[in-house]
Amino acid sequence: MKHILKILGLLAALSAVWAGLLETSLIPYNYVWLLPIYLIVSLGCYGLLMVGVGLMVFPTCPQEATLLQKDILEAKDFLMRKGIDVGAA
Amino acid sequence: MELADKTVGFLLSVISLSIFTYYTFWVVILPFVDGDHFIHKYFLPQEYAILIPVFAGVTLLSLISAFIGYVMLKSKKKKKRA
């Protein structure tokens, strides 16, 4: 909840600065949409970067997979000896 | 499989970083460079810095809406048959 307030405050401050710059006509009027579009483009780039980094550093544990397969075989063997059908051996 | 995922992730990171760098340079730095500098040859006029993202966003939104509508229609049909 606090984080979103911080983000909203930052956005409000940015738009106030932008409006001030436009009002004092330091920036030509046909550039009004440049800041919002720039913010959206940066947000999209940030999201894409986070997805890429997440894919790159995605943790895998192959030794755990082999342990799990061993466990499955053990359990199947155990159940079969007790007389329970668990499909293909 | 793992290597393919890593490659895709690396490609996504590179694409996003390059788009961000290019766009930042285009929007933030270029207005402060003289109009007859040679670097202006590598960038479209400033109007396109607004037009292209808006066009891309509208296209993306329409595609997403079309996809959602298609999926909803399909699920409705499946429910009727069952």
Side-chain angles (χ1 to χ4, degrees):
Chain A
M1 199 55 210
K2 261 201 179 139
H3 207 62
I4 197 160
L5 283 181
K6 227 190 282 175
I7 293 171
L8 280 181
L10 197 67
L11 275 181
L14 256 178
S15 39
V17 168
W18 187 244
L21 279 178
L22 284 170
E23 283 302 314
T24 55
S25 55
L26 273 172
I27 292 168
Y29 231 77
N30 52 339
Y31 287 0
V32 180
W33 284 102
L34 219 49
L35 183 78
I37 297 279
Y38 180 71
L39 286 181
I40 291 172
V41 168
S42 346
L43 185 68
C45 282
Y46 172 75
L48 209 60
L49 180 73
M50 280 302 122
V51 170
V53 169
L55 268 177
M56 248 159 61
V57 299
F58 194 80
T60 54
C61 24
Q63 68 271 26
E64 294 295 325
T66 54
L67 280 180
L68 190 62
Q69 287 300 329
K70 222 182 278 172
D71 270 1
I72 289 171
L73 281 182
E74 201 175 301
K76 266 185 182 167
D77 196 41
F78 176 77
L79 287 172
M80 206 112 84
R81 265 193 282 115
K82 296 270 176 180
I84 298 170
D85 186 23
V86 286
Chain B
M1 191 63 204
E2 204 174 311
L3 195 69
D5 279 352
K6 286 222 160 96
T7 320
V8 170
F10 180 71
L11 273 180
L12 282 182
S13 313
V14 168
I15 288 170
S16 84
L17 277 180
S18 49
I19 288 176
F20 182 71
T21 323
Y22 183 83
Y23 198 71
T24 303
F25 204 82
W26 190 7
V27 169
V28 178
I29 300 176
L30 222 58
F32 300 105
V33 181
D34 293 335
D36 52 353
H37 200 269
F38 75 93
I39 207 151
H40 277 277
K41 271 193 297 187
Y42 300 104
F43 292 89
L44 288 169
Q46 193 88 43
E47 299 93 72
Y48 288 93
I50 299 172
L51 276 178
I52 292 173
V54 167
F55 192 74
V58 168
T59 315
L60 196 72
L61 269 182
S62 338
L63 281 179
I64 290 171
S65 321
F67 179 71
I68 290 175
Y70 174 70
V71 168
M72 281 168 90
L73 277 180
K74 224 168 71 173
S75 74
K76 208 176 186 181
K77 218 181 261 173
K78 209 180 268 173
K79 223 179 260 172
K80 238 180 222 169
R81 212 181 292 156

